[in-house]
């Protein structure tokens, strides 16, 4: 499955829309799926991925890279032309039925900094 997401600024809010115009950003994917983000903000856009821990000690874990494609070693810059990655959970701790990854979307430059914090659920 291929998922295309478009990162936009609506007023002073970051929004993510899929190819059907549905707003959100949370994803439910499987290993091998491809996710593409397009930066339509006309500003600098970065994504950072962290482990989301559920259960008795919920919270955010360390930085993770949920893709088989080359890890940038830090924030992922999303150019206007887009970035695509193939979902892989080799570096994400799985939960009982899924692995959970929180990703921060940060838009900077050309206006006030804006943030959004959706999640990715990777089915086991």
């Amino acid at each position: 499955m291929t998922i295309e997401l478009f990162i936009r600024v609506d007023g002073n809010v970051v929004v993510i829309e899929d190819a059907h115009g549905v707003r959100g950003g949370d994803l439910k994917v499987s290993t091998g799926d491809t996710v593409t983000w397009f930066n339509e903000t006309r500003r600098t856009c970065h994504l950072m991925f962290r482990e989301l821990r559920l259960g008795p000690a919920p919270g955010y874990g360390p930085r993770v890279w949920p893709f088989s494609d080359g890890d940038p070693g830090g924030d992922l810059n999303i150019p206007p032309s887009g970035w695509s990655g193939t979902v892989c959970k080799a570096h994400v701790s799985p939960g009982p039925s899924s692995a959970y990854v929180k990703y921060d979307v940060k838009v900077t430059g050309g206006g006030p900094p804006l943030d959004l914090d959706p999640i990715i659920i990777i089915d086991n």
Side-chain angles (χ1 to χ4, degrees):
M1 175 169 60
T2 299
I3 301 166
E4 292 185 338
L5 299 170
F6 302 87
I7 303 168
R8 300 181 173 125
V9 173
D10 185 2
N12 282 330
V13 177
V14 177
V15 295
I16 298 177
E17 291 183 3
D18 68 15
H20 305 289
V22 176
R23 288 188 175 191
D26 293 341
L27 299 172
K28 187 169 185 180
V29 295
S30 297
T31 296
D33 289 349
T34 300
V35 180
T36 302
W37 283 274
F38 295 96
N39 178 1
E40 296 186 344
T41 67
R42 297 184 183 183
R43 297 169 65 181
T44 301
C45 182
H46 296 279
L47 306 184
M48 185 181 88
F49 301 89
R50 295 186 286 164
E51 189 172 348
L52 175 60
R53 295 181 180 151
L54 304 177
Y60 302 118
R63 181 189 173 281
V64 295
W65 185 246
F67 304 102
S68 59
D69 311 83
D71 184 344
D75 291 354
L76 174 64
N77 180 43
I78 305 296
S81 59
W83 180 89
S84 293
T86 303
V87 176
C88 170
K89 58 183 172 184
H91 304 289
V92 181
S93 300
S97 61
S98 301
Y100 298 89
V101 176
K102 178 185 174 301
Y103 69 103
D104 296 319
V105 179
K106 298 203 179 287
V107 176
T108 59
L114 303 172
D115 299 301
L116 187 67
D117 61 346
I119 64 168
I120 300 172
I121 302 168
I122 305 170
D123 280 340
N124 283 344

